[in-house]
Amino acid sequence: MTLAVVADRNDAGTAEVKGLRAELAARGKSRTVKVVAADAPAAVPGRGGGARLGEWMRALMQASLPPLAGLALLIGLWHLATMNGGGIPTPGKTWDAAVAIFADPFYRAGPNDQGIGWNVLASLQRVAIGFGIAALVGIPAGFLLGRFAVLSRMMNPIISLLRPVSPLAWLPIGLLVFQRADPAATWTIFICSIWPMILNTAQGVTRVPQDYLNVARVLNLSEWKVFTKILFPAVLPYMLTGIRLSIGTAWLVIVAAEMLTGGVGIGFWVWDEWNNLKVEHIIIAIFVIGIVGLILEQALMLVARRFNYESR
Amino acid sequence: MKKIVQIENVGQVFNTKNGPFTALRDITLDIHEGESISLIGHSGCGKSTLLNLIAGLTRPSSGVMLCDGREIAGPGPERAVVFQNHSLLPWLTCYDNVYLAVDRVFGAKEGKAKLKQRTQDALALVGLSHAETKFPHEISGGMKQRVGIARALSMEPRILLMDEPFGALDALTRATLQDELVKILAATKATMVMVTHDVDEAVLLSDRVVMLTNGPAAMIGEILDVKLERPRDRLALAELPEFAHCRAAVLDFLYKKQLKRAA
């Protein structure tokens, strides 16, 4: 296609001089050139394939160069800041430690000394359980709040009051009720991830286009059909936004909760390494937490795009 | 001819922030079986309000509305509606959009094969058999509107209510769909009430053109009988004096008697 673009430009240049008729002719010519360019790989496999590969490489470079430059800048600054000693390890030292850690992420040497893989999985499990229960409660609650204005008016002050509270403030309540650290951490995740799901689902329900509801009324659909064929698909994108926000918050909170509750988990691991004064491990943990959060977010974005009907 | 819809002294008042707003008053109209009626008037005159009343989407503030001698208490499958913006569900294919209506009306008494047949027939009627598996976002505006018409027709309604069905389409597509609608109406002998603001469309498609005065408190200003032979041909019509006469009568009403001062 590079060929075609160049040809187009050349033709446009001539056309400006020769006037409208010439421009039309030039357009025709450029079209022919395009066809030739498109056919080229088939006719001359070696040359055409090479050109295509080159173009693909260039697209890849354009997409990946700026992020890589950003990353290089971060590491460069980090190196500059730490090269004269101090408490924070240099990027090189951290890298060496990371290689050592990831050489065996799944070892077990006692309840408080396990590989980073186990710690991440333990945290993810807590998030999954707390978040799962929150979804089971929050999404139906959101539907009810969206459908019945009275309920919404009743619950809104309570939600507005409780939502800004840091989830960690709920931790003692969880410890008191469950008497154990692990369910208390799960409870904290539950509390922090339920609000976005309730609010977004409720908002989705109130925003179902009147047109669709009119269709339901004209067709006289049963309540069940209204729910499965109209309400649920219409609310789904909003629901997924709620889920995405919830997962993000849950992953933020789990680290803090685990620092307080102990046991196995990436948050506890960070605290443990701080007590061992292995600062390079803390930095590795920060990267791991960031990458896991990024993966969760991107995965849900992918799901959300699948169910977004408006923009398609 | 049998009266299928009777509207007697109907008025519609909406409660707005600025107090009650009278949209319609003293509307009296009989719609006969097999008849095509156009409701025409300037925008905001309450054409759609009247159509929604017949559809049962809203209830009148005063007066009586009967369909088949029974009061219109809500929407029903014997009164199918084609919406202006097609209102197809974006997460269902064209087939499933139509099937939703078919299943609702005939699902209780017919088998799956028959329902499938009905759905396919309805899509074939509007010439969209090839687009069964497509989603609404994959087809053009004219095609979407045709699916909307297929959905309405698939219910085998006694009366087809259309709210500016071709308003959002370009002129060429509109003409094609109008011609198709004429054929479909002739084939199914359905009764039709159509809201429009297109004078040619009103004269071409209807037996009677009901002209509404300007709102607020709109009422029926005039009713024009269109005495043109069916089947009507778009090209031949243009030559006929009767067509010119009907067109002039509607235009005269809209632009002389009911000329909007502000708008």
XYZ file of all heavy atoms in Angstrom, chain A residues 93-139:
350
model
N 19.822 -4.262 40.588
C 19.751 -5.129 41.753
C 18.339 -5.741 41.869
O 18.169 -6.929 42.165
C 20.054 -4.290 43.000
C 20.550 -5.125 44.171
C 20.909 -4.215 45.338
C 20.901 -5.008 46.635
N 20.781 -4.135 47.797
N 17.326 -4.887 41.577
C 15.948 -5.360 41.637
C 15.721 -6.448 40.593
O 15.045 -7.448 40.853
C 14.979 -4.188 41.377
O 15.365 -3.101 42.195
C 13.560 -4.583 41.669
N 16.309 -6.237 39.423
C 16.152 -7.210 38.342
C 16.738 -8.561 38.753
O 16.108 -9.607 38.554
C 16.804 -6.693 37.064
C 16.787 -7.669 35.948
C 17.817 -8.448 35.504
C 15.664 -8.011 35.135
N 17.413 -9.245 34.476
C 16.079 -8.997 34.225
C 14.332 -7.564 35.102
C 15.233 -9.553 33.280
C 13.484 -8.117 34.157
C 13.926 -9.106 33.266
N 17.930 -8.511 39.355
C 18.558 -9.754 39.802
C 17.670 -10.475 40.814
O 17.484 -11.692 40.747
C 19.928 -9.460 40.434
C 20.922 -8.985 39.383
O 20.639 -9.226 38.185
O 21.934 -8.355 39.748
N 17.119 -9.702 41.755
C 16.247 -10.293 42.768
C 15.008 -10.896 42.122
O 14.540 -11.981 42.503
C 15.835 -9.233 43.786
N 14.482 -10.184 41.088
C 13.274 -10.664 40.402
C 13.564 -11.989 39.709
O 12.755 -12.922 39.770
C 12.792 -9.627 39.391
N 14.733 -12.065 39.068
C 15.090 -13.311 38.383
C 15.120 -14.455 39.388
O 14.583 -15.542 39.147
C 16.453 -13.160 37.666
C 16.950 -14.520 37.181
C 16.322 -12.184 36.498
N 15.684 -14.184 40.564
C 15.756 -15.212 41.603
C 14.356 -15.617 42.062
O 14.058 -16.805 42.228
C 16.577 -14.704 42.783
N 13.488 -14.625 42.253
C 12.134 -14.918 42.750
C 11.334 -15.702 41.732
O 10.689 -16.706 42.051
C 11.409 -13.607 43.100
C 11.908 -13.091 44.433
C 9.906 -13.822 43.159
C 11.263 -11.811 44.860
N 11.400 -15.269 40.471
C 10.565 -15.904 39.467
C 11.157 -17.206 38.952
O 10.524 -17.912 38.175
C 10.287 -14.936 38.308
C 9.284 -13.890 38.691
C 9.677 -12.598 38.954
C 7.951 -14.227 38.825
C 8.763 -11.643 39.344
C 7.025 -13.281 39.208
C 7.429 -11.982 39.471
N 12.367 -17.524 39.407
C 12.917 -18.830 39.064
C 12.084 -19.918 39.726
O 11.915 -21.007 39.175
C 14.374 -18.919 39.509
N 11.550 -19.624 40.910
C 10.746 -20.630 41.607
C 9.580 -19.941 42.307
O 9.602 -19.733 43.525
C 11.623 -21.379 42.625
C 10.851 -22.515 43.274
O 9.768 -22.850 42.766
O 11.330 -23.034 44.295
N 8.547 -19.545 41.543
C 7.459 -18.778 42.167
C 6.543 -19.639 43.045
O 5.775 -19.107 43.818
C 6.699 -18.204 40.968
C 7.017 -19.108 39.834
C 8.346 -19.732 40.106
N 6.600 -20.952 42.898
C 5.633 -21.790 43.617
C 6.330 -22.735 44.602
O 6.168 -23.940 44.548
C 4.781 -22.593 42.628
C 3.844 -21.726 41.844
C 4.120 -21.397 40.524
C 2.687 -21.224 42.427
C 3.254 -20.581 39.801
C 1.827 -20.408 41.704
C 2.114 -20.085 40.392
N 7.147 -22.182 45.493
C 7.722 -23.054 46.533
C 6.946 -22.854 47.829
O 6.276 -21.842 48.025
C 9.214 -22.740 46.738
C 9.502 -21.465 47.484
C 9.564 -21.452 48.890
C 9.704 -20.271 46.799
C 9.813 -20.280 49.567
C 9.946 -19.101 47.483
C 9.994 -19.110 48.868
O 10.236 -17.931 49.544
N 7.000 -23.846 48.664
C 6.393 -23.724 49.991
C 7.432 -24.121 51.028
O 7.908 -25.250 51.034
C 5.218 -24.686 50.138
C 3.932 -24.242 49.494
C 2.872 -25.290 49.809
N 1.787 -25.282 48.852
C 0.698 -24.546 49.016
N 0.567 -23.772 50.049
N -0.254 -24.611 48.109
N 7.775 -23.182 51.913
C 8.721 -23.500 52.984
C 8.112 -23.092 54.312
O 8.725 -22.386 55.107
C 10.055 -22.802 52.738
N 6.888 -23.493 54.541
C 6.215 -23.115 55.778
C 5.091 -22.128 55.510
O 5.015 -21.560 54.415
N 4.207 -21.924 56.465
C 3.008 -21.101 56.252
C 3.329 -19.643 55.921
O 2.576 -18.999 55.206
C 2.266 -21.214 57.588
C 3.266 -21.718 58.580
C 4.266 -22.516 57.799
N 4.448 -19.123 56.440
C 4.754 -17.714 56.198
C 5.848 -17.520 55.165
O 6.313 -16.415 54.969
C 5.160 -17.034 57.503
C 3.950 -16.755 58.364
O 2.833 -16.725 57.845
N 4.167 -16.576 59.651
N 6.284 -18.573 54.534
C 7.357 -18.447 53.543
C 6.977 -19.238 52.295
O 7.304 -20.409 52.169
C 8.676 -18.947 54.138
C 9.840 -18.674 53.190
O 9.622 -17.925 52.209
O 10.930 -19.206 53.428
N 6.273 -18.597 51.410
C 5.821 -19.245 50.179
C 6.195 -18.396 48.971
O 6.439 -17.207 49.110
C 4.304 -19.459 50.214
C 3.867 -20.296 51.396
C 2.424 -20.726 51.309
O 1.791 -20.535 50.293
N 1.916 -21.301 52.374
N 6.214 -19.044 47.783
C 6.593 -18.339 46.560
C 5.622 -17.230 46.212
O 4.472 -17.222 46.656
N 6.085 -16.292 45.392
C 5.247 -15.136 45.043
C 4.006 -15.585 44.279
O 2.935 -14.978 44.396
C 6.057 -14.088 44.244
C 5.243 -12.802 44.108
C 6.455 -14.615 42.869
C 6.082 -11.600 43.777
N 4.125 -16.661 43.517
C 2.977 -17.202 42.774
C 1.836 -17.552 43.712
O 0.683 -17.177 43.490
N 2.165 -18.255 44.809
C 1.120 -18.623 45.774
C 0.493 -17.389 46.382
O -0.723 -17.334 46.596
C 1.714 -19.489 46.891
C 2.099 -20.878 46.444
C 3.322 -21.468 46.516
C 1.236 -21.846 45.844
N 3.291 -22.730 45.999
C 2.019 -22.989 45.575
C -0.119 -21.862 45.502
C 1.505 -24.130 44.976
C -0.635 -22.999 44.910
C 0.162 -24.115 44.651
N 1.348 -16.404 46.683
C 0.824 -15.188 47.309
C -0.176 -14.470 46.394
O -1.238 -14.049 46.836
C 1.981 -14.253 47.663
C 2.684 -14.699 48.932
O 2.091 -14.712 50.002
N 3.930 -15.108 48.800
N 0.205 -14.372 45.116
C -0.703 -13.701 44.177
C -2.005 -14.485 44.055
O -3.106 -13.919 44.080
C -0.028 -13.533 42.799
C -1.033 -13.081 41.762
C 1.118 -12.545 42.874
N -1.874 -15.813 43.948
C -3.079 -16.632 43.803
C -3.978 -16.521 45.031
O -5.204 -16.452 44.909
C -2.695 -18.099 43.563
C -2.185 -18.401 42.160
C -1.850 -19.877 42.024
C -3.213 -18.015 41.101
N -3.360 -16.470 46.216
C -4.160 -16.351 47.437
C -4.939 -15.035 47.434
O -6.126 -14.993 47.774
C -3.253 -16.430 48.657
N -4.263 -13.956 47.001
C -4.945 -12.662 46.950
C -6.082 -12.695 45.930
O -7.188 -12.212 46.185
C -3.965 -11.561 46.560
O -2.978 -11.442 47.541
N -5.787 -13.288 44.756
C -6.814 -13.350 43.715
C -8.016 -14.157 44.197
O -9.158 -13.821 43.903
C -6.231 -13.986 42.445
C -5.408 -13.051 41.567
C -4.776 -13.820 40.426
C -6.281 -11.924 41.017
N -7.746 -15.214 44.961
C -8.843 -16.036 45.457
C -9.735 -15.223 46.400
O -10.959 -15.263 46.298
C -8.279 -17.249 46.180
C -9.346 -18.279 46.489
C -8.857 -19.306 47.500
O -7.700 -19.280 47.932
N -9.751 -20.209 47.854
N -9.094 -14.467 47.303
C -9.879 -13.632 48.227
C -10.716 -12.628 47.444
O -11.894 -12.432 47.716
C -8.957 -12.875 49.167
C -8.581 -13.693 50.352
C -7.925 -12.863 51.428
N -7.169 -13.794 52.250
C -5.855 -13.944 52.169
N -5.153 -13.191 51.349
N -5.253 -14.834 52.913
N -10.087 -11.990 46.451
C -10.821 -11.015 45.638
C -11.983 -11.703 44.943
O -13.103 -11.195 44.909
C -9.884 -10.347 44.602
C -10.686 -9.603 43.556
C -8.944 -9.394 45.294
N -11.730 -12.898 44.385
C -12.778 -13.593 43.639
C -13.966 -13.908 44.542
O -15.118 -13.695 44.161
C -12.230 -14.871 43.023
N -13.691 -14.389 45.754
C -14.796 -14.768 46.649
C -15.573 -13.525 47.081
O -16.800 -13.455 46.937
C -14.264 -15.530 47.884
C -13.669 -16.875 47.445
C -15.384 -15.766 48.891
C -12.945 -17.611 48.551
N -14.839 -12.518 47.581
C -15.506 -11.304 48.053
C -16.266 -10.626 46.930
O -17.429 -10.231 47.079
N -15.613 -10.562 45.773
C -16.234 -9.905 44.635
C -17.431 -10.717 44.127
O -18.466 -10.160 43.764
C -15.195 -9.743 43.516
C -15.783 -9.356 42.217
C -16.088 -8.040 41.960
C -16.055 -10.309 41.255
C -16.655 -7.684 40.772
C -16.620 -9.961 40.071
C -16.927 -8.642 39.817
N -17.289 -12.034 44.124
C -18.388 -12.896 43.648
C -19.639 -12.705 44.488
O -20.740 -12.533 43.953
N -19.458 -12.698 45.824
C -20.621 -12.510 46.702
C -21.209 -11.117 46.478
O -22.427 -10.946 46.403
C -20.231 -12.707 48.182
C -19.683 -14.126 48.390
C -21.425 -12.479 49.090
C -19.086 -14.358 49.766
N -20.316 -10.133 46.320
C -20.788 -8.760 46.089
C -21.606 -8.684 44.806
O -22.630 -8.001 44.746
C -19.604 -7.798 46.018
N -21.173 -9.414 43.752
C -21.917 -9.399 42.495
C -23.278 -10.056 42.685
O -24.297 -9.567 42.187
C -21.122 -10.116 41.406
N -23.289 -11.162 43.416
C -24.547 -11.880 43.634
C -25.554 -11.012 44.373
O -26.759 -11.091 44.142
C -24.299 -13.156 44.445
C -23.666 -14.312 43.665
C -23.463 -15.514 44.570
C -24.553 -14.680 42.478
N -25.060 -10.163 45.286
C -25.968 -9.304 46.046
C -26.202 -7.990 45.296
O -27.335 -7.536 45.158
C -25.374 -9.007 47.444
C -26.286 -8.065 48.219
C -25.178 -10.301 48.205
N -25.120 -7.401 44.791
C -25.183 -6.041 44.258
C -25.951 -5.913 42.959
O -26.689 -4.947 42.767
N -25.779 -6.868 42.046
C -26.432 -6.732 40.745
C -27.953 -6.853 40.858
O -28.677 -5.986 40.356
C -25.821 -7.721 39.726
C -24.389 -7.258 39.402
C -26.656 -7.796 38.459
C -23.585 -8.230 38.578
